[in-house]
Amino acid sequence: MIRLTSSALAGVVAWFVLAFTASAMATTSLSGISSQEAVSALRTTLSKGADAAVGSLGKADGFLGNPAVRIKLPEYLENSKGMLKMVGMGDDLDEMEVSMNRAAEAAVPQAKAVLKKAIQSMTVADAKQVLSGGDTAVTDFFKSKSQADLYKQLLPIVKGKTAQVGLAQQEAVLVW
């Protein structure tokens, strides 16, 4: 489950960067500017988007208080939620969901350096792909350039936070 949480976290961060940069990119015209100017402008825009995304997600209730990115219980627990609540495990489910979201909130600030590194490594070809690649181009760029580093950076934080609150033990009790 922790691996899924880390992967989801990377995807959510990339989605937020896309959301914060989409409007700026929508008004970008490439006529009359050099490739280097376009790359520089895109780097600046993505950097500001990364700052905003990390600032928004990497604080108390950044995930938990935002229905668009809130990390939900694993599907097998979500499907059993009604039954588990009937047998008095509703508080355990709530605690587990809060724990997963708090772990993500604690890990996100570490993503900033990884995202900035990916942005700085952007080539002219990468920039052209991002600007012309459609709705998922920014997410695809970050996934290809930073997923492995995000996983390495964030997994220990997520594991540490989930261990602090006994998330694995909570899941074991809920699953039996």
Side-chain angles (χ1 to χ4, degrees):
M1 184 173 71
I2 292 172
R3 191 178 85 213
L4 290 174
T5 301
S6 296
S7 297
L9 183 60
V12 168
V13 170
W15 180 83
F16 254 81
V17 171
L18 174 61
F20 284 105
T21 60
S23 63
M25 287 178 19
T27 61
T28 301
S29 172
L30 296 180
S31 62
I33 61 172
S34 73
S35 293
Q36 288 303 336
E37 290 170 328
V39 171
S40 178
L42 183 56
R43 282 181 182 150
T44 299
T45 301
L46 289 174
S47 183
K48 288 180 181 181
D51 290 342
V54 170
S56 177
L57 295 171
K59 63 181 183 183
D61 292 331
F63 278 86
L64 189 63
N66 185 339
V69 295
R70 184 180 182 140
I71 300 169
K72 297 183 186 314
L73 292 170
E75 187 176 344
Y76 65 91
L77 288 176
E78 193 65 46
N79 292 341
S80 305
K81 200 173 193 175
M83 182 195 64
L84 291 168
K85 284 187 175 194
M86 287 190 326
V87 296
M89 300 187 91
D91 289 343
D92 294 324
L93 289 172
D94 293 342
E95 185 179 341
M96 184 180 204
E97 189 169 345
V98 169
S99 298
M100 291 186 308
N101 283 276
R102 294 294 184 231
E105 292 160 1
V108 164
Q110 300 306 312
K112 189 175 193 175
V114 174
L115 295 173
K116 297 283 185 156
K117 178 181 167 190
I119 292 165
Q120 289 309 309
S121 73
M122 178 180 278
T123 65
V124 172
D126 292 333
K128 285 180 180 179
Q129 182 59 39
V130 167
L131 291 171
S132 63
D135 293 345
T136 64
V138 173
T139 301
D140 295 342
F141 167 76
F142 280 116
K143 186 175 183 179
S144 72
K145 299 291 184 182
S146 64
Q147 186 173 19
D149 287 341
L150 283 172
Y151 188 78
K152 278 195 298 190
Q153 285 278 117
L154 303 183
L155 185 61
I157 297 166
V158 171
K159 278 185 174 181
K161 280 301 225 180
T162 56
Q164 280 179 350
V165 296
L167 187 58
Q169 292 83 357
Q170 290 173 20
E171 182 179 19
V173 167
L174 292 171
V175 175
W176 300 321

